[in-house]
Amino acid sequence: MENLKLMPDTVLKPSFDRDKIKTSILHIGVSNFHRSHQAYYSHELIEKFNELNYGICGVDLLDSDRKIYNILKDQDGLYTLYIKEPNGAHRAKIIGSVVEYFFGPENPLAVIERMASPDIEIISLTIAEDGYHLNEITGVFDINHPAVSEEIKNPFNPKTVFGYLTQAFKLRKLRNLPGCTILSCDNIKSNGDTMKHSLLEYVSKTAPDLLDWISENTTFPNTMVDRITTITDFDDVEELKQNFQIEDQWPVVCEPFADWVIEDKFLFKKPNWEKVGVQFTRDIEPYEKMKLRLLNAGHTILGILGTLHGYKTVHEAAIDEDFIIFLKSFMNEEVQPTLNESNATHVKNYKKLLVARFQNPHINDRLSRICQENSAKIPLFILPTINDQLQKDKNIKRAAFIIAAWCKYNDGVNDFNVSYNITDSISGTLIRNATLSHQNPIKFLEIKSVFGDLSSHKIFTDSYEASLSLLRKHDVKTCIKEMNANLINS
């Protein structure tokens, strides 16, 4: 804290006394996104309204998180949020809302004890899709997952969030303490409901006598979270040193835009986050659907198309006029009809702002990151649009082209014959079926864990096969131009 006084006035520093902050939120998964989003909102509430009851206890549960744990412990939980405006007017803000930090692999019992503390009223999560241990085909909690099986044998040395929560809730029940709100902040559909169903399934197999207590003493609000946050690289660290005299071992880089919508069903009094821009709602679905099908789908589309064309960043792909014409027409003609009509004005404004966000030249968001685990993203971000459109006999030509482009993407070579890595938990299946699609295009659609029964929809497969045939003969840029011209003139 003493070092903050030495920083120049251009750095936005906490004005509050961190020693007076009460920790009532425990957050699992202190990722870059958490630090740019939930921790940022709590910081703003403390900074602007002196609400000192909502400090954060950060918790990491994975061995791979040891580096960030060591760095933040060394920095007393403080870090720099490096906000990059499109016009180059960047801001550096020191975030001070993370006031405690625990590392599960180092001391799991200490983490369980802190989770069980009556001071903790909210346990929030950013554990990514794989942290929920969902079955690839059914989408429900996989009780036979190796990490789950291991900790069932050794419950006091848990490996998953479910193991930790179960042990913490056992202590709360034993001590006649109240429960808490479980707040998922991950990019998965109905994230609160998914967390609830997964936890109850886990508990039903491992501690069934706890089920009634959890049902009566916890809530699981669904949320929609939104802020483009990139992987921190060495250049960002050096820029902060040169331009702001900040020596931060792991700053967070993000765009200026941020959004957070939360279903209003907290167990206790909720933080007054609405004072700093958070929206509480009774119905999260319209916001969730809009964000997943526009922003997340848009990122995925630019990732696939841009990689095939040899681009490296979202910005490069987003300033390509042909790609943006295609993306806008996909959003307008195929996504928009699947969204809530009563939200039309909000959707229109969101779409307009979205392209500008993608085009921010200072957000060095790499397409290699965007394309990681596409087999989990496409069923969530793009297939729901396809299924809704098919049910209404509406246009799916652009979506079919996107799936065909993803098939070609899994060849692993761009249009300039430069190879790239395919990072996906089922990469072997994707590569194999993409190879088979050279002889039989439908083979790629027969990956049931990704596409379900999509290969049986002739309207879709006809468009998909036509697109894949085009992509096998020409580079993606030529195909996009032809696609744009044909659809505009049709």
Side-chain angles (χ1 to χ4, degrees), residues 429-461:
T429 301
L430 295 171
I431 294 167
R432 182 173 59 254
N433 284 52
T435 301
L436 292 172
S437 74
H438 283 267
Q439 281 72 46
N440 180 1
I442 300 302
K443 278 295 182 183
F444 188 68
L445 298 181
E446 291 178 352
I447 306 173
K448 292 284 187 180
S449 63
V450 176
F451 297 110
D453 65 352
L454 189 60
S455 63
S456 66
H457 289 268
K458 189 174 186 304
I459 292 174
F460 180 84
T461 58

Side-chain angles (χ1 to χ4, degrees), residues 87-372:
N87 64 4
H90 304 335
R91 290 174 286 142
K93 178 189 283 283
I94 307 299
I95 302 297
S97 55
V98 180
V99 291
E100 299 179 49
Y101 209 161
F102 288 81
F103 187 53
E106 188 173 83
N107 194 340
L109 294 180
V111 172
I112 292 168
E113 190 66 42
R114 194 67 182 101
M115 284 183 174
S117 168
D119 292 341
I120 301 299
E121 298 180 354
I122 296 171
I123 296 178
S124 55
L125 316 158
T126 48
I127 55 175
E129 292 92 337
D130 56 356
Y132 291 80
H133 301 304
L134 305 178
N135 184 281
E136 289 179 0
I137 297 175
T138 64
V140 300
F141 180 71
D142 185 2
I143 194 68
N144 297 314
H145 189 281
V148 176
S149 300
E150 182 182 342
E151 73 181 3
I152 288 175
K153 298 174 185 174
N154 190 4
F156 296 108
N157 187 23
K159 304 297 181 185
T160 75
V161 66
F162 306 103
Y164 277 95
L165 287 173
T166 299
Q167 296 306 317
F169 287 158
K170 280 183 178 179
L171 288 181
R172 287 187 183 237
K173 180 184 177 184
L174 182 67
R175 296 168 181 173
N176 292 317
L177 297 173
C180 60
T181 299
I182 308 297
L183 193 65
S184 171
C185 300
D186 281 301
N187 269 325
I188 60 174
K189 189 177 185 300
S190 304
N191 50 19
D193 294 337
T194 299
M195 184 62 205
K196 178 180 180 180
H197 296 153
S198 296
L199 179 62
L200 293 179
E201 179 66 18
Y202 180 95
V203 171
S204 72
K205 298 294 192 297
T206 60
D209 57 336
L210 197 60
L211 282 171
D212 288 343
W213 186 91
I214 290 177
S215 297
E216 295 169 5
N217 290 275
T218 57
T219 61
F220 298 80
N222 293 302
T223 70
M224 186 280 286
V225 296
D226 191 358
R227 189 171 216 176
I228 296 174
T229 306
T230 69
I231 296 171
T232 307
D233 61 30
F234 179 76
D235 289 342
D236 300 315
V237 175
E238 287 301 304
E239 278 182 26
L240 285 171
K241 282 183 184 179
Q242 295 297 322
N243 300 335
F244 295 94
Q245 289 79 60
I246 296 174
E247 292 200 21
D248 187 335
Q249 299 174 72
W250 202 325
V252 181
V253 178
C254 67
E255 64 172 335
F257 178 92
D259 199 10
W260 195 6
V261 184
I262 307 174
E263 195 174 17
D264 194 356
K265 55 175 189 181
F266 284 69
L267 190 66
F268 299 109
K269 179 184 176 184
K270 60 182 179 287
N272 295 311
W273 280 320
E274 71 276 6
K275 292 181 178 179
V276 291
V278 176
Q279 183 174 346
F280 293 100
T281 181
R282 292 184 178 180
D283 184 11
I284 199 75
E285 191 202 17
Y287 302 95
E288 176 190 75
K289 186 185 286 188
M290 178 191 69
K291 192 257 180 171
L292 293 176
R293 298 190 185 189
L294 292 173
L295 180 135
N296 294 113
H299 257 154
T300 299
I301 292 163
L302 291 176
I304 293 167
L305 301 182
T307 300
L308 287 175
H309 189 57
Y311 291 139
K312 299 298 184 185
T313 67
V314 173
H315 165 254
E316 287 179 299
I319 61 172
D320 185 306
E321 185 177 358
D322 297 313
F323 287 0
I324 285 301
I325 288 172
F326 176 85
L327 180 59
K328 284 182 176 179
S329 64
F330 170 72
M331 293 192 295
N332 293 336
E333 302 300 326
E334 298 185 25
V335 179
Q336 179 87 48
T338 73
L339 302 178
N340 192 324
E341 291 182 5
S342 64
N343 212 24
T345 301
H346 185 59
V347 171
K348 181 180 178 181
N349 292 336
Y350 188 82
K351 287 190 299 183
K352 183 179 179 180
L353 183 60
L354 198 53
V355 173
R357 294 169 63 193
F358 289 155
Q359 293 177 337
N360 186 334
H362 305 287
I363 299 297
N364 188 31
D365 207 358
R366 298 201 165 272
L367 298 183
S368 57
R369 181 189 78 84
I370 297 296
C371 289
Q372 290 177 1

Side-chain angles (χ1 to χ4, degrees), residues 416-433:
F416 300 94
N417 207 33
V418 177
S419 62
Y420 47 82
N421 292 326
I422 296 170
T423 306
D424 200 291
S425 60
I426 62 166
S427 59
T429 301
L430 295 171
I431 294 167
R432 182 173 59 254
N433 284 52

